[in-house]
Amino acid sequence: MSRRGFLGLAGAAAGTAALAACAGSGGGTQGGDSKTITFWSNHPGTSKDQEIELINRFQAKRPDLKVNLVDAGKNYEEVATKFNAALSGGELPDVVIVSDVWWFNYALNGAIEPLDSHFSAAGVNVGDYVDTFVNDYKFNGKTWALPYSRSTQIFYYNKDVWAKAGLPDRTPQSWTEFDEWGPKIQSVVGDGKWAHGWGDAKNYLAWTFQGPCWTFGGAYSDEWKLKFTDPATLAAGNYLRDSINTKKYASIRPTYAVDFGNGIIASAIGSTGDLKSINTNAAGKVQFGTGFLPHPNGLAGCTTGGAGLAIPSRISDARKKNALEFIEFITNAANTSYFAQATGYVPVRKSAQQDPGMQDFLTKNPNFKTAIDQLPLTKPQNYARVFVPGGDQIIGTGLEQIGLQNRDTAAAFGDIANQLQTIIDRQITPKLPK
């Protein structure tokens, strides 16, 4: 294992311990100011200006309430660290942004409020949220957050390279088909460039590889049962290993979005949230298209990601009601449409797709429309990545070892499974509903 890989695992373990120690501990019930809504955000997708606009719209509707936007960190992890500190006795926010890999531990420890019993009073029509997005926050029959800055993955490809390789102007229908295309694309791009680039562990390799794993018939887990030793999961890992180390048409690229925009890689799986920056980087250099991730026989080949908004459980009922009204408002059809157009995130409401402004935007930006059209081929993520503290980095580090060090797939996946199982047994199973 490289020093970087070791430090990644050490960091994941330390983060896991800290999270287990902090979430849900200390701090009494807080009454707070029921006329002020404190919103902790990392402004995903450089969205601070948009969040201020959403707050202004809300305060125009509810002049009796004041919203205080707090810079809670530069990323989801920093927000989680700040929230953990507040749970140990600091001042709690009314609304906190929680990523796909952080909310579950808070729910398990009772640190955030199940929202279902509050929906009616706050006027929330939960059925209007995109099913996959809202289902990502369900556990034990309850809804623990509502979707906000949500994304899916799309397949980005260089149209000029595709044409020179004699390929159809579309994304591959399966990873087996792409395995046939890869060497052709590589012969076009030449040395020092690659047909395909994957993000590294820090750039959510475990997230982007989850869908491909499904299409091989594998999975990271089936609820709490780990699946890393299944032949189909191993086949997916061997595909990744061979494409990088044997056929040499793929590479792990920490800056894959920048590399794609600069023509260093000819294709990549990226978030819809990358679309804005890729458009900027590729302008005048790369003509690119987007399409669905490979999904043979209609299989779900794509996961969702991003963040939702949660409410701490220990604030007063009056604050909870105001907080949920605020969440409902900034994620309504008009506002999620506005937020999506400005940031590249996917509208979280079904009705937003009928918003005139959104329809006009999609007509003018067909690459963005790909993500919305692909939603029926998405499904919630495997527990192993999003419900196990540190799971994302543990899986991503193992995949990185396969790609960068040509490590044996079965050995790498065996180590992943052992680490995850230990965390499940010690930190999760004792707290699960009986």
Side-chain angles (χ1 to χ4, degrees):
M1 183 184 300
S2 68
R3 179 175 181 275
R4 179 179 177 187
F6 174 81
L7 291 175
L9 291 180
T16 296
L19 191 59
C22 293
S25 64
T29 301
Q30 299 189 16
D33 178 6
S34 63
K35 295 299 182 182
T36 300
I37 298 169
T38 301
F39 174 26
W40 282 10
S41 180
N42 65 311
H43 322 303
T46 61
S47 61
K48 186 172 183 178
D49 289 345
Q50 286 73 43
E51 289 182 332
I52 290 171
E53 170 62 21
L54 293 174
I55 288 168
N56 289 338
R57 293 181 183 186
F58 177 76
Q59 290 180 153
K61 179 185 177 185
R62 289 293 307 272
D64 57 315
L65 296 175
K66 179 181 183 296
V67 179
N68 179 28
L69 178 63
V70 174
D71 297 323
K74 66 183 180 182
N75 54 40
Y76 298 135
E77 289 73 23
E78 289 190 2
V79 176
T81 298
K82 184 178 176 70
F83 189 49
N84 284 333
L87 291 169
S88 296
E91 289 295 320
L92 290 171
D94 298 87
V95 177
V96 60
I97 193 166
V98 287
S99 82
D100 53 355
V101 301
W102 287 101
W103 72 266
F104 175 73
N105 191 70
Y106 297 133
L108 191 63
N109 286 283
I112 57 175
E113 180 80 0
L115 302 178
D116 308 79
S117 63
H118 304 285
F119 283 153
S120 179
V124 175
N125 176 12
V126 72
D128 189 39
Y129 286 93
V130 173
D131 293 335
T132 306
F133 289 163
V134 76
N135 287 340
D136 279 338
Y137 304 110
K138 289 186 180 295
F139 179 74
N140 195 30
K142 299 175 182 178
T143 310
W144 299 90
L146 286 175
Y148 173 53
S149 53
R150 295 306 308 270
S151 58
T152 66
Q153 305 147 5
I154 51 179
F155 193 103
Y156 295 85
Y157 67 101
N158 186 315
K159 284 177 169 281
D160 292 334
V161 170
W162 250 236
K164 290 177 182 177
L167 300 175
D169 186 11
R170 61 170 175 82
T171 57
Q173 295 174 342
S174 68
W175 289 102
T176 301
E177 181 177 50
F178 191 63
D179 201 34
E180 297 170 359
W181 290 7
K184 298 177 184 178
I185 300 168
Q186 190 61 41
S187 68
V188 171
V189 299
D191 293 341
K193 297 182 179 181
W194 291 270
H196 190 75
W198 299 89
D200 64 359
K202 290 184 178 179
N203 286 281
Y204 307 113
L205 176 56
W207 181 53
T208 54
F209 193 68
Q210 196 166 189
C213 185
W214 292 341
T215 67
F216 277 85
Y220 296 158
S221 64
D222 178 4
E223 294 194 348
W224 297 112
K225 182 180 179 181
L226 299 178
K227 307 284 283 184
F228 288 96
T229 59
D230 280 20
T233 308
L234 290 169
N238 283 327
Y239 163 76
L240 178 70
R241 182 171 178 254
D242 292 345
S243 68
I244 295 172
N245 295 290
T246 303
K247 296 189 176 181
K248 300 183 184 301
Y249 65 79
S251 176
I252 299 230
R253 310 296 301 172
T255 55
Y256 68 90
V258 174
D259 289 349
F260 179 79
N262 289 325
I264 295 172
I265 57 176
S267 64
I269 297 176
S271 167
T272 52
D274 293 322
L275 188 53
K276 186 177 179 180
S277 64
I278 286 177
N279 269 326
T280 301
N281 291 332
K285 293 180 290 187
V286 172
Q287 182 185 8
F288 71 94
T290 63
F292 294 2
L293 268 64
H295 54 287
N297 303 315
L299 288 172
C302 178
T303 65
T304 59
L309 299 175
I311 298 172
S313 59
R314 294 200 301 268
I315 64 174
S316 68
D317 287 344
R319 288 176 66 186
K320 289 173 185 175
K321 180 178 181 296
N322 291 340
L324 191 53
E325 286 185 12
F326 173 70
I327 293 172
E328 192 282 331
F329 180 83
I330 68 170
T331 60
N332 68 22
N335 288 327
T336 192
S337 173
Y338 160 76
F339 189 76
Q341 292 175 53
T343 62
Y345 288 105
V346 179
V348 300
R349 296 288 191 107
K350 298 171 185 174
S351 56
Q353 296 179 32
Q354 310 309 317
D355 178 76
M358 195 73 226
Q359 288 187 331
D360 182 61
F361 178 78
L362 294 176
T363 300
K364 295 176 180 176
N365 297 274
N367 281 331
F368 186 90
K369 188 173 183 291
T370 299
I372 294 177
D373 292 342
Q374 190 183 219
L375 284 175
L377 293 169
T378 64
K379 67 178 183 179
Q381 298 187 57
N382 294 151
Y383 285 14
R385 177 179 181 264
V386 291
F387 285 4
V388 178
D392 171 69
Q393 286 299 298
I394 291 171
I395 298 168
T397 298
L399 292 171
E400 200 176 66
Q401 291 168 3
I402 291 169
L404 292 178
Q405 301 170 20
N406 199 21
R407 191 180 181 201
D408 178 73
T409 301
F413 279 8
D415 282 353
I416 291 171
N418 288 337
Q419 292 175 71
L420 296 178
Q421 192 64 57
T422 297
I423 296 170
I424 292 169
D425 291 344
R426 292 178 179 175
Q427 298 184 34
I428 296 176
T429 301
K431 297 179 182 179
L432 292 175
K434 304 303 181 189

